[in-house]
Amino acid sequence: MQSNSPEQELYDAIYAEIESLALQEPGFAIYTHSPSSQAPYPFVRLGMTQLFPIATKTALLADMYQNISVWGSKWDRGKVSAIAASILEKLSRIKRTESFAIEMNVARSTYLVRPDQSTQDDLWVAEVSTEWVLR
C-alpha cells in the first residue's frame, strides 16, 4: 500500500481537526472547494498547501505551509475572529500524521482578519497561515 505524500497527510489531519472543531462548536461548515453562493456564513475553506523539501541522504524532511480561510457576513466579524483563533489553537496540537512526525511552528503561524468586498456583499475573512516542520 502506497502512503500519501506528507502534504496530503497534513491536509487530511488539518481537515479532521477543523471538522471536529465544527462538531464541538457548531455554527460553521468546512469546504475543500469554493461553496455555492447560497452557502450560509460563516464557513471555513481549506486553501493552498505548499511543501519545501529539505534534501538529506536518509530521511524526508520538509517545511510545509497550509492556508485556511474563514468567511463571514458583515455581521460576523467576531465569529470569524473566534473561529480563526480556535483553528490555530486546535491545529497546534497536531504532532503526528499517519506516517510522519510533524509540528506546527506556532511563532510563524498567524491569522489576519480583514474586510472583503469581492462580492456584492460586504464580508469578513480571516486568512489563517500555518507553517509546519516535518522531521
Side-chain angles (χ1 to χ4, degrees):
M1 181 173 135
Q2 184 178 2
S3 68
N4 286 327
S5 68
E7 66 83 21
Q8 183 63 50
E9 285 195 20
L10 174 63
Y11 186 90
D12 293 344
I14 288 172
Y15 185 92
E17 289 297 321
I18 296 173
E19 187 175 47
S20 77
L21 182 64
L23 293 172
Q24 293 168 6
E25 302 175 23
F28 68 90
I30 178 172
Y31 296 94
T32 58
H33 54 81
S34 294
S36 78
S37 60
Q38 307 334 277
Y41 293 107
F43 64 81
V44 172
R45 180 172 183 242
L46 271 66
M48 178 203 76
T49 305
Q50 191 170 18
L51 180 138
F52 290 95
I54 298 169
T56 70
K57 291 181 180 182
T58 59
L60 174 61
L61 306 178
D63 291 329
M64 293 186 286
Y65 301 87
Q66 175 69 53
N67 291 342
I68 302 152
S69 54
V70 182
W71 291 84
S73 73
K74 63 183 174 185
W75 299 283
D76 288 337
R77 198 237 183 258
K79 288 180 188 175
V80 166
S81 178
I83 293 168
S86 292
I87 287 171
L88 212 51
E89 192 277 327
K90 182 107 169 142
L91 296 184
S92 71
R93 298 181 200 163
I94 297 174
K95 303 297 180 199
R96 179 145 204 93
T97 65
E98 184 177 325
S99 308
F100 303 99
I102 191 162
E103 189 167 0
M104 185 168 81
N105 184 342
V106 177
R108 295 183 51 103
S109 296
T110 66
Y111 69 94
L112 164 74
V113 180
R114 65 171 179 79
D116 180 87
Q117 297 174 325
S118 62
T119 67
Q120 293 179 344
D121 301 315
D122 289 337
L123 303 172
W124 286 102
V125 61
E127 298 168 351
V128 181
S129 300
T130 60
E131 181 176 310
W132 300 84
V133 179
L134 172 73
R135 299 290 186 257

